[in-house]
Amino acid sequence: NGACGRMGKRILQLAHEDKSLKIAAALDSASHPDFGKDAGELAGFGKLGVPVTSALPSHPTVDAVIDFSMPEGTM
């Protein structure tokens, strides 16, 4: 959560480098200018196939959420 910010992009980069992790979603506010863009392209490592959305997709299993959003974004 907060994927479009500086820390969110860095977390995406680090998660991508760790082959034991899979990025299942990238969340941010629908009003952010980068909303809808591919998270991998946004973080600078190439197409990932995970668009920035405002809610978790209903199908993937998510074991953890890393939140670097504003307090309002957490809820």
Side-chain angles (χ1 to χ4, degrees):
N1 199 22
C4 295
R6 278 184 308 159
M7 286 303 299
K9 290 175 188 173
R10 184 63 181 138
I11 290 167
L12 285 166
Q13 292 166 350
L14 292 170
H16 179 70
E17 291 171 11
D18 186 333
K19 299 307 175 196
S20 70
L21 300 176
K22 180 181 178 198
I23 300 169
L27 307 177
D28 215 303
S29 169
S31 64
H32 195 283
D34 290 327
F35 184 81
K37 292 184 179 178
D38 185 273
E41 292 177 332
L42 184 65
F45 58 80
K47 194 154 185 80
L48 181 63
V50 176
V52 175
T53 62
S54 60
L56 285 172
S58 59
H59 64 278
T61 301
V62 176
D63 295 322
V65 174
I66 300 173
D67 189 342
F68 263 91
S69 69
M70 301 297 288
E72 306 81 43
T74 301
M75 301 315 288

